[in-house]
Amino acid sequence: RFDSLEMKPEQQKEKTLGALINQMNGLAASRPVLIIFEDAHWIDPTSQELLDLIVDHAQAIKALVVITYRPVFTAPWGGHPHVTSLTLNRLGRRQSQDMISALTANKPLPKEVLDQILAKTDGVPLFIEELTKAVLEGHLLKEEKDRYVLTAPLPPLAIPATLHDSLIARLDRLSPIKEVAQTAAAIGRDFSYELLSAVSGSSDDELDDALTQLAEAELVFRRGTPPQAFYTFKHALVRDAAYESLLKAQRKDLHARIAQVLKERFADRVAVEPEVLAHHYTASGDIGPAIDSWLAAGERATERSANVEAIAHLRRGLDLITELPEGVERTRRELRLQIAIGTPLMALESYSSQDLVRATARARQLCEQVGDTDQLLPLLYRQAAYELVRANFRTSRGLSEEFLRTAESQGAVGPALVARRVLGFSQWCLGEFCESRAEFERMLELYVQEQHAELAYQYGQDPQPACLGVLSVVLQLLGYPDQASKVRDEAIARADDIAHANTLGYAKTFAICVLGAVRRDWQIIRDYAPSILEFTEHERLLIWNLWTKYIHSLAMSQGDPTQAALVQLGEIRNQIHATETLNNRTFHLALHAELLDASGQTDNALGMIEDALAQVEEHDERWWQAEILRLKGSMILGRGKESDADGEALFQQAIGVARSQGAKSLELRAATSLARFWQNEGRSHDARELLAPIYRWFTEGFDTSDLMEAKTLLDQLGPWDTN
């Protein structure tokens, strides 16, 4: 009775989780709340997100959250002070006897029967319950007024030895309805009356009677009233026992029938949960449709930014490929899977993920086998992005240009936009700022949201906010701080509007953290980085989380760089390096070195600067080169005449590099350092003649730290022409 939600999948997911948390908080405001999660070891990633939120919120409300799981599950909440972990051991003999007494309504069992139940169940509660019920439902005992007695001497194997045997024995005694239980088990642990009815072929009366008996035997639990009822097997082991009692041929036939019914009569459910259909096709041995359904499930999960689920679904499809006969159709199916898995891998792991590299190489090989040039575009993107992340910028620029040519030759406007974004990024890293700006602005000019928003799900980010985030940095470097701020704000607004997780992490990391560090606006980083950290951690966006964590740590350490903070920076940088993400390493090293120098550890800082300069030469990452040279010059001043001369030369070199790149902001910063040195050397006239023309070039951004510092120094140097 409500209108469709007009929001992006990621927004809908966030609002759904928020609604559930609000429901819990609302209940707890009026009464204590008990929340129970069973079998957390089987939890899916999105439900895990909800459970994490519940655990966090529970500490502030009247709620008790009980979570059960097997030892194979690693609980992520162990370090919280409001969380208590309990290891549940097997029940002792007294507890086991109490449980049996409750099941027999306190009527004693014959001692030999009781001893066998206790011995065979070994303190496992579910086994105690099921085995006791199996004995009571069998023909071994007769109920008298105050006790149970044996109907005959107890045979050696009269009581089942395992839980599975006990469950099978109970199902066998319900033989008229066993087939219904088996059919339900093939559907899953949870099943609806409507689907079971369509698959089983039983009459309504027969089905109602069978389900009533299963419920009375407490093998299944019911919610609602048929035909709208839903059922759940009491325990996964109960469902497994019913399912495993089927012959293999029966199982395949049942799954084929379920898949057919789902496709023909439950199209709405299949559209929402294609993985359900994929599961039944897989179990039926119908491999082609199974692969197609796993592909559909992976693509749908990717659209919802459920990247963990997407990768799992697509890998299920890839696992089945070898079961198809060799040929063009098999090759095309594998190609679609290998291309589809790239987007969630890029979002979840990183662009340098070896899984992504292998998927890309395999997909390109498959493209060549079938001559499918249309599918080359996402592969060229992945290869360009991989080289970019590995800091092979000239290679990435070449691949980006090939990607752009191929897209334009095919008339593929959307992929061409993505190609321009990657090309602009490569040019920025190479220090080609004017070319980078032109490429970004051309991309933004051609972008149409209604037509190109889907690119986020095909290529990992929506190109518009991602492009805006990096363009804000480029504009700052070129000497347009106000324009950089405007583009930064636009990047953030567009990323929030789109609500695609990886796009949002990408755009905000650059627009807030990288831009903030470039212009030394540490306060904006301190204000906004915590929310980026929370978001990227929640969405498992590892590289954006680490970059933000690194720059936020720098911002928090300004003015008081403790040794612990400096060590932490090194640890975070090592974590970034461990992801095989090498781009921007020169930037990170220089920022760390500047903080080391401020803490008095100049020798260590110089060692880090030398490492950064070596990286500049090795990878041609030149966008921060002028600043690295300036920092080195500042660090060696005051160590004697020779060092002062070297420092002066480094300032001159920094100015030259910045000028060749058109990086007016970095030129101003280096010129300010050189002018201050000349002022101290008594060369105020030379200092003023150097700095004033560069300062006068600027038409905006006079409230930024670089321009204010330059203006203060110029005023100290004596009268100068401000026009």
Side-chain angles (χ1 to χ4, degrees):
R1 64 186 185 274
F2 300 105
D3 293 335
S4 298
L5 293 172
E6 296 298 328
M7 61 179 66
K8 300 292 181 181
E10 187 59 34
Q11 288 176 312
Q12 184 170 337
K13 172 184 166 185
E14 290 301 315
K15 286 187 176 294
T16 302
L17 295 179
L20 290 165
I21 293 299
N22 288 338
Q23 182 188 37
M24 177 184 75
N25 291 340
L27 287 169
S30 60
R31 72 199 72 177
V33 175
L34 173 64
I35 303 170
I36 301 174
F37 281 82
E38 283 194 283
D39 298 326
H41 47 275
W42 285 321
I43 201 166
D44 62 276
T46 303
S47 299
Q48 176 78 64
E49 291 180 32
L50 173 62
L51 187 50
D52 292 345
L53 289 171
I54 287 173
V55 171
D56 286 340
H57 280 258
Q59 62 184 312
I61 61 175
K62 293 184 291 185
L64 172 64
V65 184
V66 179
I67 306 164
T68 67
Y69 52 86
R70 294 179 185 171
V72 294
F73 179 76
T74 301
W77 327 283
H80 294 320
H82 65 290
V83 173
T84 300
S85 297
L86 298 173
T87 299
L88 300 182
N89 297 311
R90 298 170 187 269
L91 299 182
R93 184 178 179 90
R94 173 61 64 83
Q95 294 167 314
S96 299
Q97 286 179 306
D98 289 345
M99 190 171 179
I100 293 168
S101 294
L103 293 166
T104 63
N106 292 319
K107 292 184 178 181
L109 296 176
K111 184 176 183 304
E112 56 265 57
V113 173
L114 177 63
D115 287 345
Q116 281 207 35
I117 292 175
L118 291 172
K120 291 181 177 181
T121 57
D122 197 20
V124 178
L126 177 65
F127 197 2
I128 294 169
E129 182 179 0
E130 291 303 321
L131 192 53
T132 302
K133 287 181 179 179
V135 170
L136 294 176
E137 292 170 2
H139 303 291
L140 292 172
L141 301 174
K142 179 175 68 174
E143 184 177 4
E144 294 188 347
K145 184 177 181 180
D146 59 349
R147 69 183 63 244
Y148 284 92
V149 297
L150 286 166
T151 57
L154 184 65
L157 301 177
I159 298 178
T162 67
L163 177 58
H164 181 270
D165 292 339
S166 173
L167 291 168
I168 291 297
R170 293 191 68 200
L171 285 170
D172 285 342
R173 279 194 291 276
L174 298 169
S175 55
I177 62 170
K178 181 179 179 181
E179 186 175 338
V180 172
Q182 290 172 322
T183 304
I187 294 173
R189 186 178 176 188
D190 301 291
F191 56 94
S192 69
Y193 181 94
E194 192 178 8
L195 178 55
L196 180 60
S197 175
V199 173
S200 70
S202 302
S203 69
D204 289 346
D205 289 343
E206 291 172 335
L207 191 60
D208 288 346
D209 181 61
L211 289 170
T212 298
Q213 289 188 58
L214 287 170
E216 288 175 349
E218 294 189 352
L219 292 171
V220 301
F221 300 127
R222 187 180 76 189
R223 302 190 310 279
T225 304
Q228 281 77 42
F230 288 85
Y231 296 82
T232 301
F233 279 98
K234 172 184 176 177
H235 194 278
L237 294 173
V238 177
R239 179 263 171 192
D240 292 347
Y243 183 73
E244 289 165 10
S245 67
L246 288 162
L247 298 175
K248 287 185 178 179
Q250 289 176 302
R251 292 182 202 173
K252 292 183 70 173
D253 289 345
L254 261 178
H255 284 293
R257 201 185 324 160
I258 295 166
Q260 182 181 359
V261 169
L262 283 170
K263 188 174 181 181
E264 293 176 354
R265 298 179 53 179
F266 295 86
D268 289 346
R269 181 179 179 187
V270 168
V272 174
E273 297 179 299
E275 61 271 20
V276 175
L277 184 61
H279 163 73
H280 291 294
Y281 272 135
T282 302
S284 72
D286 200 351
I287 302 303
I291 291 172
D292 295 341
S293 297
W294 285 122
L295 174 63
E299 290 175 336
R300 175 167 171 76
T302 300
E303 289 172 2
R304 294 184 289 111
S305 295
N307 296 308
V308 175
E309 290 97 328
I311 292 168
H313 296 331
L314 294 166
R315 281 179 174 159
R316 289 288 303 274
L318 287 167
D319 289 342
L320 295 173
I321 282 292
T322 56
E323 297 186 31
L324 289 176
E326 291 187 8
V328 174
E329 192 54 42
R330 166 174 154 173
T331 302
R332 290 190 181 281
R333 277 193 166 108
E334 183 184 356
L335 176 58
R336 289 195 291 271
L337 288 164
Q338 296 285 13
I339 289 174
I341 205 170
T343 299
L345 280 172
M346 282 187 289
L348 195 64
E349 297 184 12
S350 80
Y351 298 89
S352 59
S353 157
Q354 289 305 303
D355 288 337
L356 179 61
V357 171
R358 285 189 288 270
T360 302
R362 177 60 178 162
R364 189 144 194 190
Q365 180 185 8
L366 295 168
C367 272
E368 292 167 359
Q369 286 181 18
V370 296
D372 192 343
T373 56
D374 291 343
Q375 300 288 356
L376 272 176
L377 295 176
L379 304 179
L380 285 168
Y381 165 71
R382 287 189 208 165
Q383 290 182 319
Y386 172 75
E387 298 297 343
L388 190 62
V389 168
R390 297 291 293 168
N392 299 321
F393 300 114
R394 296 198 179 278
T395 304
S396 70
R397 183 177 63 183
L399 285 166
S400 300
E401 290 168 342
E402 180 187 356
F403 178 21
L404 180 57
R405 287 194 303 270
T406 305
E408 291 183 332
S409 70
Q410 294 182 11
V413 178
L417 297 179
V418 178
R420 289 186 184 280
R421 180 184 68 75
V422 184
L423 177 56
F425 196 110
S426 301
Q427 292 165 329
W428 164 59
C429 291
L430 288 164
E432 300 168 356
F433 301 134
C434 294
E435 295 87 343
S436 173
R437 177 186 182 182
E439 211 62 67
F440 285 147
E441 290 181 343
R442 179 60 176 157
M443 195 238 88
L444 293 168
E445 179 185 333
L446 296 171
Y447 178 92
V448 179
Q449 183 182 350
E450 292 74 18
Q451 298 175 17
H452 303 130
E454 78 281 356
L455 292 170
Y457 305 103
Q458 299 168 3
Y459 291 93
Q461 307 94 22
D462 186 301
Q464 188 203 43
C467 170
L468 288 166
V470 184
L471 178 58
S472 69
V473 178
V474 173
L475 288 169
Q476 174 66 33
L477 294 166
L478 286 169
Y480 303 103
D482 290 350
Q483 293 179 52
S485 297
K486 181 180 177 182
V487 170
R488 173 199 64 201
D489 294 343
E490 190 178 353
I492 294 167
R494 289 295 301 122
D496 284 335
D497 182 50
I498 290 168
H500 176 259
N502 196 45
T503 299
L504 202 149
Y506 186 118
K508 288 192 175 181
T509 298
F510 277 97
I512 292 175
C513 297
V514 177
L515 176 62
V518 165
R519 65 202 297 177
R520 296 166 168 170
D521 188 351
W522 302 113
Q523 189 57 50
I524 197 171
I525 296 169
R526 287 191 284 264
D527 289 343
Y528 292 100
S531 65
I532 303 174
L533 283 171
E534 182 179 359
F535 176 80
T536 53
E537 184 171 348
H538 181 264
E539 295 296 332
R540 305 184 189 183
L541 302 174
L542 178 60
I543 195 61
W544 308 133
N545 180 264
L546 290 173
W547 275 24
T548 300
K549 188 180 294 184
Y550 189 78
I551 295 174
H552 180 245
S553 296
L554 282 161
M556 296 303 292
S557 300
Q558 296 300 312
D560 184 24
T562 65
Q563 185 59 33
L566 293 167
V567 170
Q568 182 188 38
L569 282 170
E571 291 172 351
I572 300 171
R573 202 174 64 252
N574 289 337
Q575 291 172 355
I576 295 172
H577 191 71
T579 69
E580 301 186 46
T581 302
L582 302 182
N583 69 325
N584 276 283
R585 191 173 179 214
T586 57
F587 179 56
H588 294 149
L589 284 167
L591 292 173
H592 193 173
E594 190 173 11
L595 201 62
L596 275 171
D597 184 49
S599 72
Q601 301 181 51
T602 302
D603 288 341
N604 290 339
L606 279 168
M608 203 168 284
I609 285 292
E610 292 297 345
D611 189 6
L613 288 170
Q615 294 288 321
V616 168
E617 297 306 320
E618 181 180 352
H619 294 287
D620 258 351
E621 185 174 64
R622 300 194 178 274
W623 77 271
W624 203 237
Q625 181 183 8
E627 177 64 359
I628 297 170
L629 292 167
R630 186 195 72 82
L631 287 171
K632 183 179 179 182
S634 297
M635 291 175 190
I636 65 175
L637 289 180
R639 295 189 167 198
K641 275 197 171 184
E642 187 175 335
S643 294
D644 287 351
D646 289 342
E648 182 179 2
L650 284 163
F651 291 149
Q652 294 277 20
Q653 189 180 351
I655 293 169
V657 169
R659 280 179 179 164
S660 70
Q661 297 173 342
K664 298 302 291 188
S665 291
L666 297 184
E667 182 185 353
L668 178 70
R669 194 178 289 183
T672 301
S673 292
L674 181 56
R676 185 177 292 107
F677 172 72
W678 281 349
Q679 178 192 34
N680 294 334
E681 293 289 302
R683 299 171 57 187
S684 294
H685 174 76
D686 293 339
R688 189 167 55 250
E689 290 299 304
L690 167 70
L691 187 56
I694 301 172
Y695 180 87
R696 283 197 297 267
W697 178 92
F698 285 85
T699 59
E700 60 182 69
F702 295 106
D703 58 344
T704 57
S705 61
D706 286 333
L707 282 158
M708 289 192 294
E709 185 179 345
K711 172 68 164 53
T712 300
L713 179 57
L714 280 167
D715 291 342
Q716 293 171 359
L717 292 172
W720 59 286
D721 182 6
T722 59
N723 297 316

